[in-house]
Every structure is written in C-alpha cells, then in structure tokens.
Amino acid sequence: MASGIGLVFPGQGSQSVGMGKSLCEAHPAIKQVYEEASAVLGYDSAALCFEGPAERLNLTEYTQPALLVSSIAALKTLESAGIQPIAVAGHSLGEYSALVAVGGVSFRDAVGLVQKRGRYMSEAVAPGTGLVAALLGLTPDVVKDVCREASVVGVVAAANFNSPGQVVIAGEKAAVERAIELAKEKGCKKAIPLPVSVPVHTPLMQRAADRLATDLAAIRWSDLRAPLINNAEARAISRANEIHASLVKQLPSSVLWEDTVRTMGTMGVTTFVEVGPGAVLTGLIKRILPEARLMNVNDPKSLEATLNNVNR
C-alpha cells in the first residue's frame, strides 16, 4: 500500500449523464454496485447514470444516490488494486461515500439514506424560493459579515468554505441577492449564481436534518478503518458513536472544505485521489495545497493514470 493517500468524494454538482459508463464497461464486476443500488431505489440506477435524462438526474432526490453509486463503483476499482487511504473526506453528499469507503456504513444503507436526504432537502424549501451563489475574492470573515448584514432581508449563510477566495453562500433568494450586492461593494471579484435551488448547509435545512436524524438513528454504524475528516467541524472522527451527530449537524452547517483538506495534510496525506464523477475537488485542493499530488478516478484512463502514479 502506498502511504500518504487520502480519498475524497464529490458532492452535488459533479453529476453528468454518462458518468461511470466507460468504467463499468471496462470493469464489468462493478455492475453489481448498480444492481444493488437499483434494488434499494426501485429504479434502474445504471440507466439513469449512463443515459439520463439530465432533467431527472439533476433532481436532488435522484442526483444524490446517482453520485454515491458512481463514486462507490469507482472506489471498487481502486480497492481491487489494493489502494487503501490513511484518511478520507467527502464534500457534502460525498461524506456518505467516504463513510462507505472506510466501513462506517453498508453501501445498501447509504443508498437508502441519501435518497431520503435528497427528498427531505427538496421538501424543506419551496421550489424557486432559494438561491445559491459562489463569491470569489473575499475572505471568510468578510463573507460572514456580508451574510449577517443581508440577513435583515431573510435567511442567508456561508454554505461552503471551498478554497482560498471561494465561498459559496445560500439561502432565501432576496437575502442572497442582497448579500451579492454587499459583497460587490466590499471588493468581491465575481459572484456566480449556481444552478442549485436547494439552499443546503444553511439554517433552512434544519427541518430536513431533524427528519434525517430519525433515519440515521435506525442505521447500524461501525468504527472506521481510517479516519473521516467531517464537513461540519473539519475534525477527524473514527468511532461509530460519532457519525450520527456529525451527519445531522452537516445539513444546516457550513462545509469547511478548505479546513478539511488542510487537516488531511497535517495527518500526512500527500496524495489526494478524487473518486467519482468530475474533478471539482481536485481543482479546489490544488488551490488549498499546491504541493499535493492530485489524481482522480472517473473513467478507465484516469484509473490507469492513478494506479501508475500511486505505485511509483
């Protein structure tokens, strides 16, 4: 086993029609992952991931299981090559993939949980009333001040502290729009509205978190084979009894991704492998730890490159 490897798992926004298809064709054994997921979900998971349609794949309730399944299918190809991490993390939804990767929860249970998580999130806020935007060029403290000032209009909060100079805010539409105006006054280089209508990682998700807590309590959790750096606190957790509270706290709390990556670095992670669709996290980590070795696994070519590099 190569030392210093950390696995990271993507969240919502990394999905695309066709994800995982070429990897599944090259490694037929991972079809079992899609079949097991389909039995839980009640629909053909592989067909949705490979063929879409995009309109359905982009609905939160369908996006979340699809990303989990695609990530775990990619993980299986790494595991079959003997790759084991010294630490793991996932961005928002990706935290569930990370927990599966280190034995904290069964894949079957995780699929059912993220399906419910997506549904609860969608139902927590009326369609069209939320807004999410990325702010570039401001410090975390300035973004917090902007959100505090804009909160007189409605709920708005810093949802993701992604990398130096990139913070995502979310909340009620009018409040987010006001925060964007204030951010520009304070020197924000760019404000980018994101195609996400559910203002996750804000207090608006507390209702969803309360509903999810009941489902989380019914799951059998296990101690982790390697520590997970959690979203809500950027803290290493390894014990089964820590997982439930961490996941409940995650939904209405900010994702501390920059701090999470830095924590993994202090734990000895020198190689980060993004497991699953896209390369969003790879791009963020490059800005957080420029010296880190970065790889991803989402198709046969990237898998081969990763295996060649980690075994050097």
Side-chain angles (χ1 to χ4, degrees):
M1 182 186 78
S3 62
I5 294 176
L7 302 183
V8 294
F9 296 84
Q12 207 160 334
S14 290
Q15 73 275 5
S16 63
V17 173
M19 61 184 184
K21 185 177 182 180
S22 61
L23 200 59
C24 193
E25 289 172 346
H27 299 270
I30 65 176
K31 287 180 181 176
Q32 183 181 349
V33 174
Y34 293 92
E35 291 167 358
E36 187 175 351
S38 298
V40 175
L41 296 168
Y43 58 83
D44 190 334
S45 177
L48 179 60
C49 292
F50 300 166
E51 301 161 20
E55 293 76 18
R56 189 179 188 209
L57 181 62
N58 289 332
L59 292 174
T60 297
E61 185 179 342
Y62 293 96
T63 307
Q64 297 203 19
L67 281 169
L68 173 76
V69 173
S70 299
S71 292
I72 298 307
L75 174 70
K76 294 298 182 186
T77 64
L78 281 179
E79 289 179 339
S80 65
I83 304 299
Q84 296 293 333
I86 64 169
V88 298
H91 195 285
S92 191
L93 161 73
E95 196 155 87
Y96 289 79
S97 304
L99 284 165
V100 173
V102 288
V105 64
S106 73
F107 172 64
R108 179 176 285 266
D109 282 342
V111 170
L113 280 172
V114 300
Q115 183 183 38
K116 291 172 182 173
R117 181 180 184 267
R119 185 166 71 247
Y120 298 161
M121 286 167 57
S122 296
E123 293 172 354
V125 179
T129 62
L131 185 62
V132 181
L135 303 182
L136 307 184
L138 297 179
T139 66
D141 286 343
V142 171
V143 174
K144 289 176 187 176
D145 288 343
V146 162
C147 290
R148 200 175 301 117
E149 206 173 325
S151 65
V152 296
V153 180
V155 176
V156 58
N160 305 336
F161 294 97
N162 278 337
S163 67
Q166 187 194 121
V167 181
V168 173
I169 62 171
E172 294 172 321
K173 191 174 180 182
V176 174
E177 289 171 343
R178 178 59 180 148
I180 290 172
E181 291 173 3
L182 292 168
K184 288 179 178 176
E185 291 174 9
K186 294 180 183 291
C188 176
K189 293 178 182 177
K190 198 170 187 180
I192 308 167
L194 302 177
V196 181
S197 61
V198 178
V200 68
H201 305 299
T202 72
L204 294 172
M205 288 294 109
Q206 188 60 55
R207 178 169 168 261
D210 293 342
R211 294 175 71 187
L212 186 63
T214 302
D215 298 303
L216 293 169
I219 296 297
R220 181 179 179 274
W221 303 98
S222 301
D223 291 345
L224 308 184
R225 294 190 294 266
L228 166 87
I229 314 307
N230 71 348
N231 283 184
E233 300 150 313
R235 178 175 66 89
I237 62 174
S238 298
R239 303 299 299 271
N241 60 9
E242 298 176 284
I243 300 170
H244 176 278
S246 179
L247 291 178
V248 173
K249 187 174 182 179
Q250 185 215 56
L251 261 184
S253 302
S254 304
V255 172
L256 305 180
W257 187 250
E258 181 179 347
D259 290 345
T260 292
V261 172
R262 294 192 187 281
T263 298
M264 293 177 79
T266 63
M267 294 171 67
V269 173
T270 55
T271 299
F272 290 81
V273 182
E274 182 171 1
V275 186
V280 171
L281 302 183
T282 304
L284 295 176
I285 295 167
K286 186 175 183 178
R287 293 195 285 274
I288 300 167
L289 294 179
E291 69 279 11
R293 297 173 74 204
L294 303 174
M295 303 163 202
N296 53 33
V297 175
N298 54 39
D299 59 22
K301 186 177 180 180
S302 60
L303 172 63
E304 183 181 4
T306 294
L307 295 179
N308 287 340
N309 278 306
V310 297
N311 289 323
R312 279 181 182 174

